């Protein structure tokens, strides 16, 4: 199903996607022997390129296909990659997309520096787009990404599980990037403010779905998802499935919540929370919320969008909901 959905999503933009991939691959060529090994790993560990695809789909609506769009799509993918490299260092994650993370292949110092290097590549690509307003959007995006991580640390001091806080965090950490992809693309293509807002809203809602799905993966075997299972609780994070299950329980979980958030909970406590969450509708609730939000995402798109492009956007959301890693 995943492969079929991806084929449907990329059908209207296949020629643009081929051109983008050729350009993006060229960015990893370097004469600098010190960074070549890291760039080779980066080039071999790319994901589904969901954010560049979203840029190309949005540009397709406006009938724009140019080198500027390739620069913009490259910029958002490189920015995203730089944040993942830094996140893996902060979280001490050994796996990324089922592959060894940079900090496990090299070390933390090298990974932080290379994350900065990739961020510099992203800024260079964005400068080639030639739209000054995009830098303001990127600056706000960078603030949100950082403040989301900080806020996630701050809420660890509370034994209250809040859905509002959860959605605030995932907007800043994940959905804001999807939204910014769409807004920057629309502006680059000459959209009016109403059109830019519509696509930014689609990106925001699609990004929220993406993160909820990512959080659901944590409740299943890592061999199925390519992501370590139980990792969120181990890092002191409560996501939507557990927030719902524990908040609707008659049992007092406050001591468990404190131990998880202080990162002092042992494996048996984390396993008990995970099993309770799955058995008491937490994952099902998260999936229902995801479907509701995905429907809102589709309603946010312009009404004059062509049917084939609307199908591609629909399947883009379906790909997020049905991905396996």
């Amino acid at each position: 199903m995943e492969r079929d959905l991806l084929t449907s999503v990329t059908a209207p933009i296949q020629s643009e996607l081929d051109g983008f991939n050729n350009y993006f691959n060229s960015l990893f060529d370097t004469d600098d022997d010190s960074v070549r090994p890291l760039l080779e790993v980066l080039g071999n560990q790319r994901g589904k390129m969901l954010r560049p695809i979203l840029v190309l789909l949005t540009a397709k609506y406006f009938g724009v296909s140019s080198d500027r769009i390739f620069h913009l799509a490259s910029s958002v993918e490189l920015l995203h990659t730089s944040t993942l490299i830094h996140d893996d260092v902060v979280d001490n994650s050994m796996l990324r997309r089922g592959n060894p993370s940079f900090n496990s292949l090299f070390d933390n110092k090298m990974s932080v520096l290379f994350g900065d290097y990739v961020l510099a590549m992203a800024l260079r690509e964005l400068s080639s787009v030639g739209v000054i307003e995009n830098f303001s959007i990127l600056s706000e995006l960078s603030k949100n990404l950082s403040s989301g991580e900080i806020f996630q640390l701050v809420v660890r001091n509370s034994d209250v599980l809040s859905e509002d806080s959860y959605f605030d965090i995932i907007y800043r950490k994940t959905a804001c990037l999807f939204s910014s992809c769409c807004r920057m693309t629309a502006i680059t293509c000459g959209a009016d403010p109403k059109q830019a807002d519509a696509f930014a809203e689609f990106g925001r809602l699609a990004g929220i779905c993406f993160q909820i799905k990512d959080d659901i993966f944590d409740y299943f075997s890592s061999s199925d998802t390519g992501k370590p299972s139980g990792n969120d609780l181990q890092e002191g994070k409560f996501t939507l499935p557990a927030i719902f299950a524990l908040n609707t329980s008659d049992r007092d979980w406050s001591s468990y919540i404190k131990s998880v958030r202080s990162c002092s909970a042992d494996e048996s406590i984390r396993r008990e929370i995970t099993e309770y969450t799955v058995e008491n509708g937490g994952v099902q609730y998260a999936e229902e919320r995801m479907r509701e939000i995905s429907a809102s995402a589709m309603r946010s798109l312009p009404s004059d969008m062509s049917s084939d492009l609307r199908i591609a956007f629909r399947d883009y959301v379906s790909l997020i909901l049905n991905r396996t890693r």
Side-chain angles (χ1 to χ4, degrees), residues 48-107:
K48 296 182 179 68
M49 308 297 279
L50 289 176
R51 293 153 196 85
I53 287 172
L54 187 54
V55 169
L56 297 177
L57 285 172
T58 303
K60 190 73 173 182
Y61 169 80
F62 294 99
V64 176
S65 176
S66 66
D67 290 344
R68 292 203 305 168
I69 299 302
F70 291 168
H71 289 304
L72 180 56
S74 298
S75 177
V76 297
E77 183 64 15
L78 290 167
L79 173 64
H80 171 60
T81 300
S82 72
T83 65
L84 296 183
I85 294 170
H86 285 153
D87 284 351
D88 286 340
V89 173
V90 171
D91 297 335
N92 196 31
S93 298
M94 295 295 104
L95 288 175
R96 170 63 61 182
R97 298 170 180 147
N99 296 307
S101 61
F102 274 88
N103 48 301
S104 67
L105 290 172
F106 302 96
D107 58 35

Side-chain angles (χ1 to χ4, degrees), residues 264-297:
S264 61
D266 59 28
E267 186 179 351
S268 64
I269 289 177
R270 298 195 301 270
R271 186 187 308 115
E272 186 174 350
I273 293 173
T274 298
E275 291 176 352
Y276 184 89
T277 296
V278 173
E279 292 168 2
N280 289 272
V283 172
Q284 180 180 352
Y285 172 77
E287 289 174 338
E288 289 171 354
R289 288 299 307 274
M290 196 167 52
R291 286 191 290 271
E292 291 170 0
I293 294 167
S294 69
S296 296

Side-chain angles (χ1 to χ4, degrees), residues 154-289:
V154 168
V155 297
R156 288 186 183 180
N157 297 320
S158 171
D159 61 358
V160 175
L161 299 180
S162 165
E163 278 196 28
D164 288 342
S165 293
Y166 168 79
F167 280 106
D168 187 2
I169 289 169
I170 69 171
Y171 167 71
R172 297 195 219 183
K173 288 184 58 180
T174 302
C176 188
L177 178 53
F178 281 82
S179 181
S180 297
C181 283
C182 293
R183 185 176 295 281
M184 288 192 292
T185 306
I187 289 171
T188 299
C189 293
D192 62 44
K194 184 177 180 180
Q195 290 172 318
D197 287 345
F199 279 99
E201 178 66 358
F202 174 87
R204 183 184 75 85
L205 296 171
I208 288 172
C209 290
F210 181 92
Q211 189 58 55
I212 294 174
K213 182 67 174 183
D214 214 49
D215 293 338
I216 289 172
F217 286 151
D218 206 54
Y219 293 87
F220 299 97
S221 168
S222 59
S223 61
D224 296 331
T225 65
K227 171 186 174 183
S229 57
N231 215 43
D232 290 333
L233 290 175
Q234 190 170 359
E235 294 171 2
K237 305 171 188 174
F238 282 94
T239 54
L240 188 59
I243 291 171
F244 171 80
L246 301 191
N247 278 345
T248 55
S249 171
D250 293 331
R251 178 175 166 182
D252 180 7
W253 291 91
S254 57
S255 63
Y256 281 67
I257 294 169
K258 289 177 181 177
S259 66
V260 168
R261 283 190 160 159
S262 64
C263 296
S264 61
D266 59 28
E267 186 179 351
S268 64
I269 289 177
R270 298 195 301 270
R271 186 187 308 115
E272 186 174 350
I273 293 173
T274 298
E275 291 176 352
Y276 184 89
T277 296
V278 173
E279 292 168 2
N280 289 272
V283 172
Q284 180 180 352
Y285 172 77
E287 289 174 338
E288 289 171 354
R289 288 299 307 274

Side-chain angles (χ1 to χ4, degrees), residues 123 126-128 130-140 184:
L123 294 174
L126 189 63
S127 69
S128 296
V131 179
I132 192 65
E133 190 173 350
N134 284 341
F135 280 97
S136 176
I137 297 170
L138 184 72
S139 297
E140 189 65 26
M184 288 192 292

